[in-house]
Amino acid sequence: MRKSSIILCMLLAISTAAVAENANPVIIDLPTVAKLAIDRNLDIKASRQDVKTAQDVVQQAQGYTRGKVGIGAEYLHLNAPITISSPDVEFPPSLGAMLAGIGSKLGIELPSTLPSIAIPPTQAAPQDLLHLTVEGGYPLYTGGKIGYAIEQAKSGLSAREELAADTESSAVFDATQYYLANLLTQEVVNVNTQALASYKEHLAHAQKLYDSGVVAKYDLIRAQAAVKDQEKKLIEAQNRHDLAVAVLRMVLSIDDNTPIELRGNLFDANEPLTLQQAQAAAITKSSILKALDSKLNALKMAENIEAADGKPQVTAVAKAELLTGAIAQTDPKWLIGVEAKMNVFDGGIRNARIAEKKSEQNKALIERQSAEDKIKLAIRSAYLDLDSAKSALESAKKSDELFRESLRLATKRLDVGTGTSLEVLDANVALSAAQVSEYQSLYQIDLAYMKLHRYLNDISKVVMEAQQ
């Protein structure tokens, strides 16, 4: 009994959680789509790591201006102690003869030859040497290498930041595109649902007219076939919508068990900027072009670094022994000084590296011009798409108005026996097509508008205001 009670409690808990989950679906509108894309997109996360890496590179470059201090330890066991030997001291024969003469005068017998004096060897270093040193260096003059390296690293950071911003804009645009596709497919489902209801109503009306002998059996069969065909269209539309929802879930990293609620509508967008103004603004704001400008500056700094390598490199150095009891007598206990180095001949390697950096700059200039041309073309394409879609929307609206009136008249003629069922069905089909065309035009308008602002680099701001 106790076991069954526990199982019942678990089932109730699961059911309660499911109800709570269903009661709080994720609201999907344009601002939410942008936010979720920014928070969850893996490309954005990777680009942020690139920025972090570039920040670390800047810190590395700046570290060279602070010099370097290190501690070293060394133990050496020699095959024998290092000693310094001196030759024996030999006295000249004349000195011995002179001393012997002086001794004879004094009545002292002294040898006429003095013996040599042996000098014992002096130990210069013990057999076991132990060094514990602290040493440091500080750059006094590098020809500008450190300053150029810092500027190069900062340019690399700027390039990574701009590329991260472009990645964010691209992710928001992609997510927005899938969201708009969801709105479109939902509207198509709604149109087909309304059309099916209209066909069923017409079928019921045709059945009455057939039963009354007003219309032929063909008209009834035609109405029945139209219902079946429309049921098929509705299923297809629903399937397309379900697929669009699945893609949006995947892009926004929303699992299948989390309920979502689609909000917002397709809208008619107006762009206040002219084509020329938009192109100029896109060139000024483009993250890609800013990144390429930073890349160009980084390559220029790399060229300067190579040129500075041919100048003298002057470093202040210092060193001190922390343990002086087990070092050689010839080793200094401490020292300070200045060290200078300069490459006199390197076989032309430095000049080749400078030429390499200049070539890379020329390539980057070409890449920048190509990117600028592509941005201008993308802006023009967005404007043309926007203009075409607006024209299509006006045409669809007129068609909608026309076919609504056509359906009204065909239905009225059928009621009084002067029209046919086929006319009503044709008017229904035309009206549904006009309504779908209207929503498709709105979708194309919105897509072109978002594409335009993706290149104007303010899409994250635009999505917050577009549906208001």
Side-chain angles (χ1 to χ4, degrees):
M1 186 71 179
R2 182 180 178 184
K3 184 177 180 180
S4 61
S5 298
I6 294 174
I7 295 174
L8 179 59
C9 290
M10 292 176 63
L11 291 174
L12 287 174
I14 294 172
S15 300
T16 304
V19 171
E21 184 181 42
N22 291 331
N24 296 284
V26 177
I27 306 301
I28 302 296
D29 54 13
L30 263 181
T32 304
V33 165
K35 184 178 183 303
L36 290 176
I38 293 172
D39 292 342
R40 302 183 180 187
N41 185 272
L42 295 180
D43 291 335
I44 293 178
K45 292 181 179 180
S47 67
R48 288 172 180 168
Q49 289 301 313
D50 288 338
V51 172
K52 178 61 172 62
T53 300
Q55 290 172 343
D56 295 335
V57 173
V58 172
Q59 291 183 357
Q60 293 175 33
Q62 291 173 336
Y64 289 113
T65 63
R66 306 183 188 104
K68 184 186 297 184
V69 177
I71 295 178
E74 181 182 58
Y75 169 75
L76 299 174
H77 177 74
L78 309 181
N79 64 322
I82 298 175
T83 60
I84 300 176
S85 299
S86 299
D88 294 345
V89 178
E90 301 286 347
F91 296 101
S94 59
L95 178 61
M98 184 182 67
L99 291 175
I102 294 174
S104 65
K105 291 180 181 180
L106 298 174
I108 302 172
E109 185 179 355
L110 295 174
S112 60
T113 302
L114 296 177
S116 60
I117 300 175
I119 300 176
T122 301
Q123 181 174 294
Q127 191 171 5
D128 294 302
L129 296 176
L130 180 61
H131 292 278
L132 182 61
T133 59
V134 58
E135 54 186 298
Y138 185 81
L140 298 177
Y141 178 75
T142 63
K145 284 178 67 174
I146 295 178
Y148 295 141
I150 293 174
E151 182 64 23
Q152 181 187 28
K154 288 182 177 180
S155 295
L157 173 59
S158 297
R160 289 297 181 183
E161 289 174 339
E162 294 299 338
L163 289 175
D166 184 73
T167 300
E168 180 177 313
S169 294
S170 179
V172 171
F173 173 73
D174 290 342
T176 299
Q177 182 177 0
Y178 294 125
Y179 164 75
L180 294 173
N182 270 259
L183 292 182
L184 173 61
T185 55
Q186 182 61 67
E187 294 294 356
V188 173
V189 168
N190 293 340
V191 169
N192 280 277
T193 300
Q194 293 171 2
L196 179 59
S198 178
Y199 289 162
K200 287 182 176 179
E201 182 181 347
H202 173 68
L203 174 59
H205 188 57
Q207 183 69 54
K208 290 180 179 179
L209 293 177
Y210 172 74
D211 292 341
S212 302
V214 176
V215 297
K217 188 175 183 180
Y218 171 81
D219 292 321
L220 178 60
I221 296 174
R222 183 67 179 82
Q224 292 171 341
V227 168
K228 293 298 182 182
D229 184 60
Q230 187 56 38
E231 288 175 342
K232 174 177 172 290
K233 290 181 179 179
L234 178 58
I235 292 173
E236 292 173 348
Q238 185 63 59
N239 289 340
R240 286 192 294 270
H241 178 62
D242 291 344
L243 179 60
V245 171
V247 173
L248 185 63
R249 282 181 179 274
M250 180 186 68
V251 170
L252 301 180
S253 299
I254 301 175
D255 62 81
D256 293 339
N257 296 323
T258 302
I260 64 174
E261 181 179 337
L262 199 66
R263 290 187 182 178
N265 299 294
L266 297 170
F267 54 93
D268 187 1
N270 293 310
E271 179 53 50
L273 298 177
T274 65
L275 172 61
Q276 290 72 24
Q277 289 173 333
Q279 287 179 329
I283 297 304
T284 302
K285 298 178 181 179
S286 171
S287 294
I288 291 295
L289 295 183
K290 290 178 181 178
L292 287 172
D293 288 338
S294 294
K295 178 182 178 180
L296 277 166
N297 191 56
L299 290 172
K300 180 61 180 176
M301 293 302 104
E303 178 190 345
N304 291 342
I305 290 172
E306 297 295 343
D309 194 47
K311 298 179 181 179
Q313 309 295 306
V314 183
T315 306
V317 296
K319 181 177 180 180
E321 289 279 357
L322 300 180
L323 299 177
T324 58
I327 63 174
Q329 294 181 13
T330 55
D331 289 336
K333 294 182 180 179
W334 62 270
L335 63 85
I336 59 173
V338 176
E339 180 182 75
K341 295 180 180 179
M342 181 175 178
N343 289 328
V344 178
F345 178 74
D346 62 359
I349 294 176
R350 185 177 66 257
N351 289 335
R353 287 176 176 170
I354 292 174
E356 176 189 359
K357 300 305 176 185
K358 288 182 177 179
S359 178
E360 290 178 355
Q361 290 176 59
N362 292 334
K363 179 184 176 182
L365 283 171
I366 295 172
E367 290 175 349
R368 192 192 188 285
Q369 184 59 55
S370 176
E372 183 174 324
D373 292 342
K374 289 178 180 177
I375 289 172
K376 288 181 178 178
L377 182 61
I379 293 292
R380 182 179 294 276
S381 174
Y383 263 85
L384 293 175
D385 290 344
L386 193 62
D387 186 59
S388 296
K390 281 185 170 293
S391 177
L393 177 61
E394 292 302 318
S395 176
K397 286 181 177 180
K398 287 296 182 183
S399 296
D400 181 279
E401 182 181 354
L402 172 64
F403 293 125
R404 283 183 187 277
E405 180 63 15
S406 177
L407 176 60
R408 185 185 70 81
L409 294 176
T411 302
K412 188 173 182 179
R413 286 196 297 271
L414 179 63
D415 289 341
V416 296
T418 60
T420 65
S421 176
L422 185 60
E423 291 178 339
V424 176
L425 291 175
D426 289 343
N428 264 306
V429 170
L431 177 59
S432 297
Q435 290 174 330
V436 170
S437 178
E438 187 173 345
Y439 288 120
Q440 287 175 336
S441 299
L442 285 172
Y443 169 76
Q444 294 297 333
I445 288 173
D446 296 345
L447 194 60
Y449 183 72
M450 292 300 169
K451 178 182 177 182
L452 174 63
H453 285 276
R454 182 258 183 275
Y455 286 100
L456 286 173
N457 207 26
D458 60 354
I459 188 171
S460 296
K461 176 184 176 183
V462 167
V463 295
M464 299 296 175
E465 305 170 351
Q467 290 180 330
Q468 294 180 359

